[in-house]
Structures are given as structure tokens and as C-alpha cells.
Amino acid sequence: MNEQPFFSSLIESYFIALGVLIGGSIIGGIAAFITGKPPLTEIFNLSNSIRIWAIIAAIGGTFDAVYSFERGVLHGQTKDIVKQCLLILAAFGGAQSGAQLIIWLTQEHISR
């Protein structure tokens, strides 16, 4: 089984977190519209509450990250620790970018 090159995994991690956050928020906004709630406010609230799940989805679950850290610490493979940290940072960046786009879309920060 061939592993992906690291740089492409880094880019995928960023865009997966971005897509999960934006997609989940927009779909949740559609559900809010159907149920009679204010859609833009719900989109904003959902983007704040699903941010951590976007990060977890982007890094592929928590067990892979823990296993990479274990390999790095116990087996002296510091390259794995650095790679995992960069993947997590890329996921954080994707989630933060998605949250910022949602803030610009909804303009909820103006009303608060």
C-alpha cells in the first residue's frame, strides 16, 4: 500500500477541514430555514460548534494522530511528530479559514 506524499496530505488536510466546516454550516443553515429559525445566525453558531469536528475529520480521526506521536516518542522518529504537528496545523488553518468565510458571509460579528 503506497502512502501519499506528505505535501498532498497537508493540502488535503487543509481543504477537508475547510469543506467540513463550510458544508456543515451551510447545510445546517438550510435545516434552520426549513424549521423557521434565522438561517444566518444558525450558520454562524454551527460554524463555531463544529470547528473541532472539522479538525478531527481532517486529520483522519484521533487514533492515527496518537499512534504517530507514540511512534515519534517511543521509537525516536521525530520526523513523524513534526509531520503530524504540521497536519494538525493545516487542519486548524482550514477550520479557521472556513470560520472566517462564514463570519464574512453572515456578518454576525457586526450585530454583536
Side-chain angles (χ1 to χ4, degrees):
M1 183 165 147
N2 291 335
E3 285 194 27
Q4 276 183 299
F6 176 68
F7 188 69
S8 64
S9 297
L10 200 67
I11 292 173
E12 280 184 4
S13 178
Y14 176 86
F15 283 104
I16 288 170
L18 179 75
V20 167
L21 192 95
I22 291 177
S25 297
I26 298 295
I27 296 297
I30 293 171
F33 176 74
I34 292 171
T35 59
K37 295 179 183 174
L40 294 179
T41 303
E42 286 297 316
I43 288 172
F44 179 76
N45 292 337
L46 282 171
S47 74
N48 287 332
S49 64
I50 66 171
R51 190 176 298 179
I52 189 68
W53 296 110
I55 295 166
I56 290 172
I59 62 173
T62 57
F63 293 115
D64 291 337
V66 171
Y67 179 68
S68 292
F69 280 123
E70 176 195 12
R71 238 187 359 224
V73 172
L74 297 179
H75 300 293
Q77 298 176 352
T78 56
K79 189 168 81 171
D80 288 338
I81 292 176
V82 171
K83 283 182 177 182
Q84 197 63 38
C85 287
L86 288 174
L87 284 173
I88 291 170
L89 283 175
F92 271 112
Q96 184 63 31
S97 298
Q100 192 64 42
L101 286 172
I102 294 294
I103 288 170
W104 290 342
L105 173 75
T106 60
Q107 298 291 311
E108 283 292 317
H109 65 285
I110 294 173
S111 64
R112 291 182 183 216

